[in-house]
Amino acid sequence: MSKTNQIEAVTGNLKELGLPTMRRTFAAAAQAARADEQTFEQYLLGLSEAELSHRRENRIGRLLRASKLPLEKSWAALDTKRLPTKVVHQAKALLDGGFVDRRENVLVFGPPGSGKTHLLCAVAQELVRSGRKVLFTTCNLLVQELLLAKRELKLPKALKRLGGYPVLL
């Protein structure tokens, strides 16, 4: 079998297996592996890590879009100097997501413009980046959605959909 036929066969197999990153990069990775004198196992590990990394990035992108979080309110954009030190420490403790696993609520109080929403959106974005599902909505929209679902006799379905989000902000 010629090299071109082999490449076409591998491409077809990888497409059938649903491995788009491997399909796109296997030939270049093979050349790099030969140049670096990698073993077959090292080459395969590199390919599978690239596929996994690409899938993780895509999943995080999907979760961020589905979360409806304002992306400009990130942890990097948060001015922690405006916040009390105690609040910053408490917020950093929330980043690991332990409160989600324990199913604990987090309540934040403060005057308008003090950074409550930004802080919570930043924490929620970090939770999404760690692979957790988050939904951001206003209380007003949430109540309207639930009232509409109740009126249309679809409240159990709406509640089930909301129950699929471990974090509701």
Side-chain angles (χ1 to χ4, degrees), residues 15-122:
K15 183 176 183 178
E16 193 172 321
L17 289 171
L19 301 169
T21 304
M22 282 187 173
R23 184 177 76 229
R24 206 173 40 255
T25 62
F26 82 93
Q31 286 179 347
R34 278 190 220 100
D36 294 343
E37 297 180 4
Q38 292 180 350
T39 64
F40 179 73
E41 290 83 4
Q42 291 170 323
Y43 160 71
L44 193 56
L45 178 63
L47 267 181
S48 60
E49 285 175 344
E51 181 73 34
L52 183 63
S53 174
H54 186 71
R55 285 178 181 227
R56 190 175 295 126
E57 288 173 18
N58 285 343
R59 182 171 192 272
I60 289 170
R62 282 191 310 273
L63 288 173
L64 276 172
R65 283 188 300 279
S67 73
K68 301 178 184 171
L69 283 164
L71 298 180
E72 67 278 1
K73 294 185 179 185
S74 67
W75 189 263
L78 182 65
D79 185 9
T80 55
K81 293 178 181 133
R82 288 185 49 210
L83 302 171
T85 306
K86 184 178 179 182
V87 171
V88 174
H89 289 302
Q90 288 173 332
K92 286 181 179 179
L94 295 174
L95 293 177
D96 71 355
F99 72 99
V100 178
D101 298 332
R102 294 185 302 272
R103 297 176 185 215
E104 295 175 348
N105 294 323
V106 175
L107 302 174
V108 179
F109 300 95
S114 60
K116 300 177 300 292
T117 302
H118 191 147
L119 177 68
L120 291 176
C121 286

Side-chain angles (χ1 to χ4, degrees), residues 98-168:
F99 72 99
V100 178
D101 298 332
R102 294 185 302 272
R103 297 176 185 215
E104 295 175 348
N105 294 323
V106 175
L107 302 174
V108 179
F109 300 95
S114 60
K116 300 177 300 292
T117 302
H118 191 147
L119 177 68
L120 291 176
C121 286
V123 169
Q125 278 189 39
E126 294 304 313
L127 293 173
V128 168
R129 293 183 202 298
S130 69
R132 296 180 188 269
K133 288 178 73 176
V134 173
L135 178 64
F136 175 79
T137 186
T138 64
C139 187
N140 186 32
L141 286 177
L142 182 61
V143 169
Q144 286 179 12
E145 180 184 337
L146 292 174
L147 287 173
L148 180 64
K150 181 181 178 186
R151 186 174 49 216
E152 294 176 354
L153 303 176
K154 295 180 180 179
L155 187 58
K157 184 178 179 180
L159 291 174
K160 184 176 181 180
R161 183 184 71 80
L162 289 172
Y165 290 96
V167 178
L168 182 61

